[in-house]
Amino acid sequence: MNGSQVTIDHVSKRFGDFVALDDINFVIKPGEFFSLLGPSGCGKTTLLRIIAGFEFPDDGVVLFDDQNIIPLQPNKRQSNTVFQNYALFPHLSVYENVAFPLRLKKLDKATIDEKVRHYLHLVQLDQHMFKKPNQLSGGQRQRVAIARALINEPKVLLLDEPLSALDAKLRANLLIDLDALHDKIGITFIYVTHDQSEALAVSDRIAVMNSGHVLQVGTPFEIYESPATQFVAQFIGETNLFESTVVKCEDPLPGTADYNVTLNTPALGMQAQLTGETAATREEDKNILVTDYEHTDEGQKVAFTIRPEKIRITLEEPKFAGRKDINVFKGVVEEPIYTGFQSKFYVRLENGTIVKVFKQHTNYLDDGPEIAWKDTVYISWAANDGYIVEDIHK
């Protein structure tokens, strides 16, 4: 079974004066696990409903491969939808729920039986086929809904926040199963979610949406490490984000691709005054260093982002043997939070700004002295661990 390419071509949708989708354009590759990610009201479910045929766009078209599917009724499109609320028939068994689409097609009994058993095996429900939905767990009911959607052998499977009604642990387990199922059957999955951890875990690519716009399309790595806007940087994971002005942009050294950029970032204040063989002295300690893959102009207003897990936190003054690419600040721990696999620290710098720092726990004995509330600490990061968001107004 192969998936279709799905092309969203200049799609817009309005509900009265409210613009739900504003000129959306992107292409989903055949067989791709593609997620539409964004907060409530961003337009992701509206777009999914347009692809499914439950809504019609005011402008634009949707193509499956080269066919415009907008004029087609939902049951005539090569797609099926899995809903958040399962939409199972409570009076029918698991077997009959999954068989229902084939009975509508009046297929023979042997064919129906073969296909139902095949798809129930795919979703690991062989032992539950004669139970009623109310005898199943939430995760099992969702698997029934997935099997019923797949039995028509669609080219595109649409999933509208299918795991949001489940508890966290069950959701994580079913997400793994869903990813494995996608690998087995090879059709195109379009997955709607507001949960960025879900999207990062299973997607080949992600479209991040807000206020009816697609802000960025990319792989999970690209979305997380190279956010296109402030919104994407803040919505995907946790980060520290500061408004900055470009002071200087040096061209890449031979054999490298990154520009060396000096930023004036008032919120970070002055860098720590260090002694001995530590970070090299700079002309302006209030500036920070960052590398960027694009040229930026002197005086350009940008946003600078640094992920909390990329920042090192120490009780002792760090020593970097004269390296010029390290940013170092001194502060006090305002709030330490132990979460098991890591500790989160909210560090107040000398100018009052709070910076989030995450410290992963690897080996307890190797973690060094315990950092506690009100400790004076140093935080540091390398220039290439930060990232510049080009347009501060997006």
Side-chain angles (χ1 to χ4, degrees), residues 9 28 43 55-56 71 84 119 134 140 158 171 213 275 290 318 335 343 388:
D9 187 8
I28 300 171
E55 298 282 355
F56 292 91
Q84 177 182 338
Y119 282 99
N134 63 4
Q140 289 170 334
L158 308 173
R171 189 164 61 242
H213 296 90
T275 59
V290 64
E335 189 70 42
S343 288
I388 292 176

Side-chain angles (χ1 to χ4, degrees), residues 58-128:
D58 296 316
D59 300 294
V61 297
V62 176
L63 305 177
F64 280 10
D65 297 322
D66 296 322
Q67 182 185 16
N68 177 16
I69 62 167
I70 295 301
L72 303 179
Q73 293 299 312
N75 62 333
K76 300 298 183 182
R77 305 182 182 197
Q78 290 186 306
S79 65
N80 267 346
T81 305
V82 177
F83 299 98
Q84 177 182 338
N85 63 356
Y86 319 134
L88 301 178
F89 299 113
H91 62 290
L92 297 181
S93 67
V94 168
Y95 184 102
E96 289 300 330
N97 264 282
V98 176
F100 186 78
L102 301 185
R103 296 202 187 282
L104 288 179
K105 292 182 176 181
K106 302 187 182 304
L107 298 185
D108 64 87
K109 185 176 179 179
T111 300
I112 291 174
D113 186 66
E114 178 186 355
K115 286 182 175 291
V116 169
R117 290 178 183 274
H118 170 69
Y119 282 99
L120 285 177
H121 178 72
L122 274 181
V123 296
Q124 303 172 41
L125 287 176
D126 311 67
Q127 305 302 315
H128 304 280

Side-chain angles (χ1 to χ4, degrees), residues 191-367:
Y191 187 86
V192 163
T193 182
H194 64 274
D195 188 319
Q196 31 105 0
S197 62
E198 286 184 7
L200 291 173
V202 297
S203 305
D204 295 314
R205 287 190 303 148
I206 301 168
V208 182
M209 300 181 65
N210 191 39
S211 300
H213 296 90
V214 172
L215 303 182
Q216 185 173 0
V217 176
T219 65
F221 181 86
E222 291 166 345
I223 295 289
Y224 187 82
E225 298 289 347
S226 307
T229 69
Q230 288 191 71
F231 177 86
V232 175
Q234 292 175 307
F235 188 75
I236 306 296
E238 295 189 58
T239 197
N240 298 285
L241 191 70
F242 307 104
E243 294 187 359
S244 305
T245 303
V246 176
V247 175
K248 182 171 57 175
C249 181
E250 301 176 23
D251 289 337
L253 296 172
T256 65
D258 293 330
Y259 293 88
N260 297 311
V261 184
T262 303
L263 297 179
N264 180 270
T265 309
L268 291 175
M270 302 287 286
Q271 294 213 41
Q273 299 299 309
L274 305 178
T275 59
E277 290 188 359
T278 55
T281 303
R282 302 185 180 92
E283 294 180 3
E284 293 288 344
D285 280 333
K286 65 183 178 180
N287 293 336
I288 65 168
L289 302 175
V290 64
T291 58
D292 193 28
Y293 65 89
E294 291 183 359
H295 184 274
T296 49
D297 298 321
E298 182 177 333
Q300 184 176 340
K301 301 293 183 182
V302 296
F304 163 75
T305 180
I306 176 73
R307 297 288 184 184
E309 70 274 12
K310 296 182 183 293
I311 302 176
R312 183 187 180 201
I313 183 169
T314 57
L315 291 169
E316 302 297 327
E317 178 183 305
K319 300 185 184 300
F320 298 106
R323 284 180 61 179
K324 297 181 179 181
D325 63 331
I326 305 296
N327 302 287
V328 183
F329 293 87
K330 190 176 181 180
V332 175
V333 176
E334 282 286 303
E335 189 70 42
I337 301 174
Y338 177 78
T339 62
F341 69 95
Q342 69 177 5
S343 288
K344 299 182 178 183
F345 299 98
Y346 291 80
V347 178
R348 185 178 296 277
L349 303 185
E350 293 177 311
N351 73 334
T353 296
I354 298 291
V355 177
K356 289 181 288 188
V357 183
F358 296 168
K359 183 179 181 182
Q360 190 86 6
H361 298 305
T362 51
N363 185 305
Y364 180 76
L365 295 177
D366 292 337
D367 279 346

